Amino acid sequence: MHYWYDSDENDVVYESLDWEFVDSGIAKKSQFMHTFISKQLEPSTIYKYKIETKDKGQIFVSNTYEFHTPQEDAPSFRFLATGDLGATNAVSMPVFKELAQNHEYDFVAIMGDQGYNLDDFNGTKGDQYMNFAQDFYARVPLLTTAGNHEEAFDLMPYHESNFDDAMQYSIDYKSLHLISFATEVFFEGSDAQVQTSLQWLENDLIKASRRRAKVPWIIVIGHRPLYCSILSNPDCKENAETLRFGHSKQQGLESLLVKYNVDMYLWQVTCNIAGYTSCTDALHISGHKHNYERTFPVRNDTALTRSYHNAPSFFQVITGNAGNYEGGDIFDKDTDIPSWLGSRFQGYGFSTIEISPRHLDLHHYETHIDGTLGHLQDHVRVSKTECHINKQRIIRQD
């Protein structure tokens, strides 16, 4: 790998860690993983880079890509949030590639189901998807979580988060503490695995609560939703209740989100209405459902308020309508709209989130079927005072 400052053709020094990963598919394909550890990067800088590989004496050189480092002292930053993005009918991908070139977003959070079963056809589907998404992922740092279509030999290492299977992690970024939680454990894991995952999450939230004065915002991302409005679908009823309350109503996600004053649960939701797969998520941000929904601050299936100023509980966003082969989810026509539902949108689109120490701005944009950017479909500002932040540091006992 070669990379350099945008204004300088001289390479920057780095270390390389390389290893071979052999998947567990029939073909036992080898994937070669490369981790590059750079020296300290300069803030507010555009770097260019390219990859060289050798095979049977031939040298192959990639296109030249570029990425940016954020401003060091900037009080606010923006990131993209999306999920359920396939290589077929990937309506939003042209917009993502264009936005990545503008260097306006510091990272992208993807709430699972990328490409849909990347292990299909002995992994060639994964190759197809990664080549398709390369111009996007090569320019913007990626934070993701596992969806129900990503159970095969998944690799998402984040050793610093002290979780043995590396499927869950958290980071601090400026005024945000971002947690990726693997919601599939509630449906694919044993009772012991569920409790291990929840214990890791609670320990992480305890640490985050102690740093609330410096890092005031806590967002949890996951694949499945805690709330969704297509109440005719099991994903929005019994599966959502399983996530909220746990198996046999012992413990689920909602009690931890409330106890530790999580601000937002973000998820990507994709439900196959005909096949009844599942959906769930909360800011909490999530996916899994192929639409967009935003709740009011909610707890126990009840909207606590319609105000997002010094909110008494978390709110949830579903942003799973980037584009996929299954198409969008259709909202129910004959059922009552839940009181906790703040906004929803049935077309294709994606979300952006801007965070400063006192404000969080959520925008959801439409993307047209031809891959062009459409209109703003939703916007909400979340705000908190210093007094409220100090209260959030106190762990709820109810």
Side-chain angles (χ1 to χ4, degrees):
M1 176 176 177
H2 302 277
Y3 75 108
W4 59 91
Y5 301 109
D6 188 19
S7 59
D8 187 355
E9 289 293 330
N10 295 319
D11 280 4
V12 180
V13 178
Y14 67 89
E15 295 180 31
S16 177
L17 302 176
D18 309 313
W19 73 97
E20 181 182 4
F21 166 67
V22 180
D23 68 38
S24 55
I26 295 176
K28 303 296 181 184
K29 288 185 63 176
S30 293
Q31 304 286 339
F32 295 93
M33 307 295 176
H34 310 281
T35 299
F36 299 95
I37 303 173
S38 76
K39 72 172 188 180
Q40 186 73 31
L41 299 177
E42 299 293 331
S44 305
T45 302
I46 294 177
Y47 290 89
K48 293 188 176 183
Y49 72 97
K50 60 185 177 181
I51 308 294
E52 289 187 5
T53 59
K54 295 180 180 180
D55 184 29
K56 299 178 181 179
Q58 287 187 290
I59 297 178
F60 299 89
V61 183
S62 74
N63 295 331
T64 296
Y65 295 101
E66 61 183 35
F67 65 93
H68 77 278
T69 53
Q71 298 180 44
E72 191 169 26
D73 300 321
S76 65
F77 68 94
R78 292 194 291 174
F79 69 94
L80 296 164
T82 188
D84 285 86
L85 181 62
T88 302
N89 196 38
V91 174
S92 299
M93 183 60 84
V95 177
F96 292 156
K97 292 179 179 180
E98 183 177 346
L99 292 176
Q101 295 182 43
N102 296 334
H103 301 295
E104 295 178 359
Y105 298 92
D106 285 359
F107 60 88
V108 55
I110 297 185
M111 275 61 70
D113 281 3
Q114 298 184 66
Y116 291 84
N117 295 37
L118 301 181
D119 59 305
D120 281 354
F121 312 113
N122 289 321
T124 56
K125 186 176 183 182
D127 294 338
Q128 177 195 20
Y129 174 77
M130 294 307 294
N131 288 328
F132 168 71
Q134 179 170 269
D135 286 346
F136 178 37
Y137 292 163
R139 290 181 168 92
V140 181
L142 172 66
L143 297 173
T144 188
T145 190
N148 56 300
H149 285 279
E150 291 152 337
E151 61 182 349
F153 35 87
D154 208 330
L155 280 180
M156 287 177 16
Y158 197 86
H159 304 297
E160 293 86 347
S161 287
N162 298 318
F163 195 59
D164 289 342
D165 66 5
M167 292 298 291
Q168 297 178 177
Y169 62 90
S170 67
I171 66 165
D172 282 340
Y173 185 76
K174 296 189 176 182
S175 54
L176 170 65
H177 183 70
L178 183 73
I179 303 171
S180 174
F181 183 84
T183 55
E184 288 307 300
V185 70
F186 279 91
F187 304 93
E188 304 294 338
S190 65
D191 289 345
Q193 288 173 318
V194 171
Q195 292 308 310
T196 298
S197 293
L198 291 174
Q199 186 61 57
W200 174 89
L201 176 61
E202 182 162 26
N203 290 339
D204 189 85
L205 287 169
I206 290 172
K207 295 175 184 177
S209 296
R210 294 169 182 164
R211 301 191 302 272
R212 204 90 193 219
K214 291 185 177 180
V215 186
W217 296 98
I218 299 177
I219 292 178
V220 177
I221 65 174
H223 182 62
R224 295 173 180 260
L226 302 177
Y227 295 91
C228 52
S229 67
I230 307 177
L231 299 179
S232 62
N233 191 286
D235 280 336
C236 298
K237 292 290 289 184
E238 51 261 42
N239 290 343
E241 290 178 359
T242 295
L243 276 176
R244 294 207 302 270
F245 306 121
H247 296 286
S248 302
K249 305 224 171 189
Q250 292 179 352
Q251 182 171 22
L253 283 176
E254 183 166 276
S255 62
L256 293 179
L257 299 182
V258 172
K259 181 177 182 180
Y260 296 98
N261 301 293
V262 169
D263 296 296
M264 180 179 181
Y265 177 62
L266 181 62
W267 61 296
Q268 155 264 356
V269 111
T270 58
C271 286
N272 183 333
I273 299 301
Y276 285 125
T277 56
S278 55
C279 31
T280 344
D281 269 31
L283 239 39
H284 192 209
I285 304 178
S286 69
H288 190 60
K289 300 305 288 175
H290 299 154
N291 51 35
Y292 169 80
E293 293 189 11
R294 167 179 55 82
T295 74
F296 294 117
V298 62
R299 185 194 313 168
N300 196 24
D301 206 28
T302 302
L304 302 186
T305 178
R306 292 192 168 212
S307 171
Y308 294 86
H309 178 65
N310 289 341
S313 186
F314 69 92
F315 74 103
Q316 173 189 274
V317 170
I318 297 172
T319 180
N321 56 342
N324 60 85
Y325 75 97
E326 293 176 324
D329 288 329
I330 306 301
F331 294 131
D332 292 334
K333 293 182 179 179
D334 301 324
T335 58
D336 294 333
I337 295 177
S339 63
W340 42 257
L341 182 62
S343 177
R344 64 182 184 177
F345 173 62
Q346 193 167 283
Y348 294 106
F350 64 95
S351 300
T352 69
I353 297 173
E354 182 171 359
I355 293 180
S356 69
R358 294 293 180 268
H359 299 98
L360 182 156
D361 282 280
L362 167 72
H363 295 82
H364 190 76
Y365 294 93
E366 174 188 17
T367 46
H368 296 139
I369 193 68
D370 63 358
T372 58
L373 182 64
H375 296 294
L376 176 68
Q377 294 295 324
D378 188 36
H379 170 239
V380 66
R381 165 165 279 202
V382 187
S383 59
K384 59 176 73 177
T385 61
E386 184 174 355
C387 179
H388 184 70
I389 292 172
N390 290 333
K391 289 181 179 179
Q392 286 186 310
R393 297 171 65 186
I394 302 173
I395 298 173
R396 296 180 189 270
Q397 298 301 318
D398 56 345

